[in-house]
Amino acid sequence: MIQINENYLKLQASYLFADIAKRIQAFQEANPDMPIIKLGIGDVTKPLPQACIEAMHKAVDEMGEESSFHGYGPEQGYAFLRETIAKHDFQARGAEISADEIFISDGAKCDTGNIQEILATDISIAIPDPVYPVYRDTNVMAGRTGEFKDGRFEGITYLESTADNNFIPEIPEKAVDLIYLCFPNNPTGATITKAELQKWVDYAREHKALILFDAAYEAFIQDPELPRSIYEIPGAKEVAIEFRSFSKTAGFTGTRCAFTVVPKECMGYDSSGKAHSLHALWNRRHSTKFNGVAYPVQRAAEAVYSKQGQAETQERIAYYLENARLVREAMAEQGFECVGGENSPYIWIRGNMDSWEFFDLLLNKAGVVCTPGAGFGQCGEGYIRISAFNSRENVVEAMKRFREALA
Amino acid sequence: MIQINENYLKLQASYLFADIAKRIQAFQEANPDMPIIKLGIGDVTKPLPQACIEAMHKAVDEMGEESSFHGYGPEQGYAFLRETIAKHDFQARGAEISADEIFISDGAKCDTGNIQEILATDISIAIPDPVYPVYRDTNVMAGRTGEFKDGRFEGITYLESTADNNFIPEIPEKAVDLIYLCFPNNPTGATITKAELQKWVDYAREHKALILFDAAYEAFIQDPELPRSIYEIPGAKEVAIEFRSFSKTAGFTGTRCAFTVVPKECMGYDSSGKAHSLHALWNRRHSTKFNGVAYPVQRAAEAVYSKQGQAETQERIAYYLENARLVREAMAEQGFECVGGENSPYIWIRGNMDSWEFFDLLLNKAGVVCTPGAGFGQCGEGYIRISAFNSRENVVEAMKRFREALA
């Protein structure tokens, strides 16, 4: 008899987006003439940079000619892209990451979900709250948690990010082996300083723990003092794996390209305490269960680093950050506490009411959709997340409606 | 302390392609004027069909304009592609598969590697020998096997495909829960009849087992009596998951698009014996750990089904099959037993010597590279695999050299 992985039965069905859709539909039926503005989803709205479009067209043409056709590429990604990334994103910032420590993939979601496969099942894990649910759910699937009770999974150390700690979780009292961190954070938009990140690196080195650092939003960092990569922190290469994406940087959400950095010094241990290279393990996983990213997509990603690509990317980032500033300004004017939005496309807003109440208020009074914070975990209760990914026109109109509705 | 998944330590390093590369290099150094012809790798050489190129250009243009830009798509793939596949590949052949039973992905390698995640660790598995190594290695990684001893992993039931059974493995005597089948087969090129496949489906239904059916090479089937999908077999929808790919059909090895069919009737069981939908489990896995295929790539895949796309695809299949015919003809002339190559791009050739000896003979006497059968498992010993994926010119020249070398 074919038995299923029963860990899947522990997963909680996500009603968040279904619930949101239901409420939107009810509002729309009651207010057929009111155009709804969606500031809920973290998806970009600006098109791909022209530099990427041109590179992709050129690569597509190559695929149509026998002499320039590309079949299977290296599972780890083409050297042209890995070398460009290493130079631009790391070496230029003093982080000595080499091209062969970079693994190109089709998404940071996939990588942050898959990475735990190379680790033992009985390690102890620490996951932020509020959180991007993929970290948690992939560990539930792998059997690293107990049942879901009272709103949380047994066996997870929750790293609480609240106003009390400025949304930077404290080092847990209970020793943990695997730590998920995400900065600039989704959903709170909070950033971490080098000094604060150093504490985590020091902890990991002391306890032989591993940090999984999700830097998918690093391109939004404007403050030159903030680290864009964990490898700007001394010692991090021994204890951290970093995830990056072209999704939010250059609008690749529908084009699919990302990468993971696994430094060669980064070690895991077997049950006898012997060290093993996580780079070798991930390479084995990646080359056994993945077959590389489409050649035209890798050429498009390479073009992000061209002079034109950089200019276009910066323009997009600035555009979304100006949206974020407008949201912060409007919400602060109405007396709401906000975090994020300065080095991040997300603004995390305390509502002085429960998340869904705040959601309903904004939907019903302003026709604007946000994401209720409670959907990201217990510590999200009382908050909403507003995304800056929309047109200026829509953001301006949404804020106008907020001012009228909340006044 | 961060502990690794120690199952990875059981994996055998694959020296196959490294070994091949080393021998090629030695030959090339000794014979600098002899151009080597590679008939070893299963990678296509013909460019993408023009129908796909045009569709991709159009989609890339859409990605460059705000009004037609595509961000995150459905994880399961766009309806336009799922519906086209369901209609063309299944319903037109009498297999009642609906669009929402199809999951678009970036590769059959990924899907055949990932599918086992939704199943329990302690099920018993049956894997062909010789075999595409991904089935085996992903189960080793997941902890479903013991150690590697005497050339095989403990805990796997090997389904031996040999000349004695016409390369169609027999139903194992020991009951198994999970069965991997691949037809047309890689590496042997063997095909399975409906009657033979019915036996496996009947077995799976009787034992509540699950068949993972890899049909990546179905487009090469010319014999109208042979099944192209397992769902042409009555009862299969209850017990089989099928994997398909655009890689070999339309030359997508460097473009990356494939799909998996999980019928809604297909069930797995929990430890209490309760049935659970594998469709729901795979949907959860797919949407948690995957984020969809690039929009331009899905449009290119859709174009494979256009009138022009079908004509171009058929032309490519016919081209490679003519290559295969030339290989079979030449090898048969020299007195070698061959299987495959008629409904498959692979020819499996018995060498009357060990695999590496045969490999060396062809390399050193003819400057032609094949793949030693022993690299695919114990039952591959004594065989080589020749791939029809090359230009006609190269295949003709290789066969000319074979005739001279082996005469």
Side-chain angles (χ1 to χ4, degrees), chain B residues 291-345:
Chain B
N291 225 341
V293 170
Y295 172 73
V297 171
Q298 293 193 57
R299 282 292 183 200
E302 183 192 26
V304 170
Y305 296 97
S306 67
K307 204 175 158 188
Q308 189 197 337
Q310 283 294 295
E312 290 182 274
T313 304
Q314 285 315 315
E315 197 188 313
R316 280 158 176 75
I317 300 283
Y319 183 90
Y320 294 128
L321 284 175
E322 174 61 12
N323 283 352
R325 195 191 62 76
L326 293 171
V327 173
R328 275 190 72 119
E329 186 179 66
M331 297 312 280
E333 253 179 48
Q334 306 302 317
F336 293 105
E337 279 172 42
C338 298
V339 59
E342 288 169 331
N343 296 285
S344 147

Side-chain angles (χ1 to χ4, degrees), chain B residues 372-392:
Chain B
F376 297 102
Q378 277 187 2
C379 295
E381 183 51 89
Y383 289 84
I384 56 161
R385 187 190 77 176
I386 289 187
S387 156
F389 294 121
N390 211 314
S391 69
R392 179 69 39 78

Side-chain angles (χ1 to χ4, degrees), chain A residues 6 57 61 72 109 271 287, chain B residues 6 43 57 61 109 271 287:
Chain A
E6 294 193 33
H57 276 310
D61 280 335
Y72 289 122
K109 178 181 179 181
S271 43
S287 52
Chain B
E6 294 194 33
D43 196 1
H57 275 311
D61 280 335
K109 178 180 179 181
S271 43
S287 52

Side-chain angles (χ1 to χ4, degrees), chain A residues 1-6 43 48 57 61 63 72 75 109 117-118 120 177 208 269 271 287 289, chain B residues 1-6 43 48 57 61 63 72 75 109 117-118 120 177 208 269 271 287 289:
Chain A
M1 191 173 71
I2 185 72
Q3 267 187 249
I4 62 164
N5 176 350
E6 294 193 33
D43 196 2
L48 280 189
H57 276 310
D61 280 335
M63 298 298 276
Y72 289 122
E75 284 106 347
K109 178 181 179 181
E117 293 177 23
I118 65 171
D177 305 315
K208 291 189 173 171
Y269 303 87
S271 43
S287 52
K289 295 178 87 174
Chain B
M1 192 173 74
I2 185 72
Q3 265 186 250
I4 62 164
N5 175 350
E6 294 194 33
D43 196 1
L48 281 190
H57 275 311
D61 280 335
M63 297 299 275
Y72 289 122
E75 284 106 347
K109 178 180 179 181
E117 294 177 22
I118 64 171
D177 305 316
K208 290 188 172 172
Y269 302 86
S271 43
S287 52
K289 296 178 88 176

Side-chain angles (χ1 to χ4, degrees), chain A residues 167-193:
Chain A
F167 302 94
I168 307 297
E170 281 129 46
I171 303 271
E173 282 170 30
K174 181 181 169 296
V176 291
D177 305 315
L178 182 66
I179 300 152
Y180 288 80
L181 294 177
C182 172
F183 292 104
N185 190 262
N186 177 15
T188 70
T191 51
I192 192 164
T193 64

Side-chain angles (χ1 to χ4, degrees), chain A residues 82 96-103 231 236-241 261-268 275-280 283:
Chain A
R82 286 150 55 110
E96 286 309 314
I97 294 296
S98 65
D100 62 355
E101 294 176 313
I102 292 167
F103 295 82
Y231 305 118
K237 283 170 73 179
E238 295 164 32
V239 291
I241 290 174
V261 186
V262 189
K264 293 202 180 143
E265 295 99 307
C266 192
M267 292 292 157
H276 295 266
S277 155
L278 293 180
H279 182 278
N283 190 51

